[in-house]
């Protein structure tokens, strides 16, 4: 069954990992993405990292997991993590349309 991640607002840590495991990812312009474990000196499990690497590419995945930096929806789209960015007013209907 295909899975669509509909992302609005903060998508950090485990939420980022869940979104990375989805088949398609759509977000509102206010969405923010991060892997903050790096700031705490923690590492993600290898299995979880595969989804992140596959969804946004090796270089972006390394940057996010090593730095703990936050990227916005436009940057996530540029890295290929998002399929598209949709304004909040039409967000739910667009997600339903794709589903």
């Amino acid at each position: 069954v295909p899975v669509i991640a509909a992302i609005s607002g903060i998508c950090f840590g485990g939420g980022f990992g869940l979104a990375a495991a989805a088949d398609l990812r759509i977000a509102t312009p206010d969405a923010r993405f991060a892997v903050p474990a790096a700031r705490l000196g923690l590492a993600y499990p290898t299995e979880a990292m595969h989804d992140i690497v596959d969804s946004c590419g090796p270089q972006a995945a390394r940057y996010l997991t090593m730095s703990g930096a936050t990227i916005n929806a436009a940057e996530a789209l540029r890295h290929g993590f998002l399929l598209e960015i949709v304004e909040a007013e039409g967000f739910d209907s667009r997600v339903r349309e794709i589903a």
Side-chain angles (χ1 to χ4, degrees), residues 30-82:
D30 68 332
R32 301 288 177 267
F33 305 87
V35 182
R39 291 188 206 136
L40 301 172
L42 303 174
Y44 268 38
T46 303
E47 304 81 41
M49 289 309 304
H50 287 295
D51 290 332
I52 294 172
V53 171
D54 290 345
S55 64
C56 63
Q59 183 166 255
R62 284 185 194 107
Y63 171 71
L64 290 169
T65 57
M66 290 180 198
S67 70
T70 299
I71 61 171
N72 62 32
E75 291 169 299
L77 180 68
R78 191 176 72 241
H79 289 299
F81 184 74
L82 295 175

